[in-house]
Amino acid sequence: EVQLVQSGAEVRKPGESLKISCEASSYSFTHYWLGWVRQTPGKGLEWMGSVYPGDSDTKYNPSFQGQVIISADKSISTAYLQWSSLKASDTAIYYCARGGPNYYYYHMDVWGQGTTVTVSS
Amino acid sequence: DIQMTQSPFTLSASVGDRVSITCRASQRISHWLAWYQQKPGKAPKLLISKASTLESGVPSRFSGSGFGTEFTLTITSLQPDDFATYYCQQYDSHFTTFGQGTKVEIK
């Protein structure tokens, strides 16, 4: 069964750094784009960016460019989303999701279970 | 950005009802539209891609239609398991965007 398993919930203070992960299994990790989607009550679902693990090509939503870093380690079939300095407004649920084999703008057919990030002083 | 507008925001219906949700794109997106179902505490689940292609394992009471700027998700004979929030997503542009969601509630 194709699966994406995300790391657990995190609580951080403003200004702290964080890296969350998404481990893929049962498919060719290097041949599909892997995206990150943020969900908040106020803005709903937002695509943040995607990485192609085969060559680490990365695309970002302009709203998130410079705010986060998306990466992948193909040796362990794991993608990452990281922040260097969290803000309270980063409080959200973050999902990883598998995109297409050729395009990063594609429907997302497999989703991780979500990682809740809470940023509070 | 391509804006996706869903209607209604909330839909109250009974088991057995036929319900439809509309998604409008701010510009033409051909058939590059997906529909997702999300239940509380769970990740979205892909139901339909390319506007009308049902994903494997999705019940046939779900169907999608539309092209260009207006799309519809229809559920014939609503079942208890269908009460959830539904989202559309366009992937025509280099910047995929989602609708704000439609919550299907029990009447």
Side-chain angles (χ1 to χ4, degrees):
Chain A
E1 178 195 2
V2 175
Q3 226 176 349
L4 297 172
V5 178
Q6 297 184 229
S7 50
E10 302 278 2
V11 179
R12 290 286 189 276
K13 291 181 167 47
E16 292 186 340
S17 63
L18 177 64
K19 190 174 189 177
I20 61 175
S21 65
C22 170
E23 183 178 0
S25 60
S26 302
Y27 76 94
S28 181
F29 181 65
T30 55
H31 289 97
Y32 288 82
W33 285 88
L34 193 294
W36 287 93
V37 176
R38 184 174 80 173
Q39 185 168 35
T40 58
K43 294 192 175 182
L45 295 167
E46 299 172 278
W47 171 73
M48 301 175 70
S50 298
V51 60
Y52 190 77
D55 60 6
S56 293
D57 189 15
T58 311
K59 307 292 185 187
Y60 290 94
N61 176 333
S63 296
F64 293 93
Q65 180 93 45
Q67 308 303 308
V68 297
I69 296 173
I70 292 170
S71 61
D73 183 342
K74 60 186 179 183
S75 69
I76 55 172
S77 299
T78 300
Y80 301 96
L81 174 65
Q82 67 181 87
W83 297 259
S84 59
S85 181
L86 287 160
K87 309 184 212 23
S89 57
D90 293 319
T91 295
I93 300 172
Y94 294 88
Y95 293 102
C96 61
R98 189 176 78 166
N102 298 312
Y103 304 103
Y104 64 90
Y105 46 104
Y106 208 66
H107 59 263
M108 297 172 182
D109 64 346
V110 182
W111 292 64
Q113 81 277 20
T115 296
T116 299
V117 173
T118 305
V119 184
S120 174
S121 54
Chain B
D1 312 358
I2 298 176
Q3 309 299 320
M4 306 302 293
T5 304
Q6 290 183 232
S7 60
F9 288 114
T10 307
L11 192 161
S12 296
S14 302
V15 172
D17 284 354
R18 176 189 175 97
V19 300
S20 292
I21 298 167
T22 297
C23 181
R24 289 188 174 87
S26 61
Q27 61 192 72
R28 294 181 66 83
I29 57 169
S30 182
H31 61 181
W32 301 116
L33 184 109
W35 289 99
Y36 299 86
Q37 176 193 68
Q38 187 179 32
K39 296 181 180 178
K42 300 293 186 183
K45 172 188 172 185
L46 178 65
L47 299 176
I48 288 168
S49 61
K50 289 187 192 171
S52 61
T53 302
L54 202 65
E55 290 299 298
S56 175
V58 175
S60 58
R61 63 180 178 273
F62 290 91
S63 65
S65 63
F67 187 88
T69 61
E70 186 155 334
F71 301 85
T72 301
L73 172 70
T74 300
I75 311 171
T76 58
S77 190
L78 199 65
Q79 298 301 300
D81 191 48
D82 302 338
F83 292 98
T85 300
Y86 294 84
Y87 296 91
C88 61
Q89 175 213 5
Q90 69 77 20
Y91 50 101
D92 178 73
S93 77
H94 289 212
F95 186 144
T96 185
T97 49
F98 294 85
Q100 81 281 10
T102 295
K103 186 175 182 180
V104 177
E105 297 181 327
I106 300 173
K107 192 170 185 180

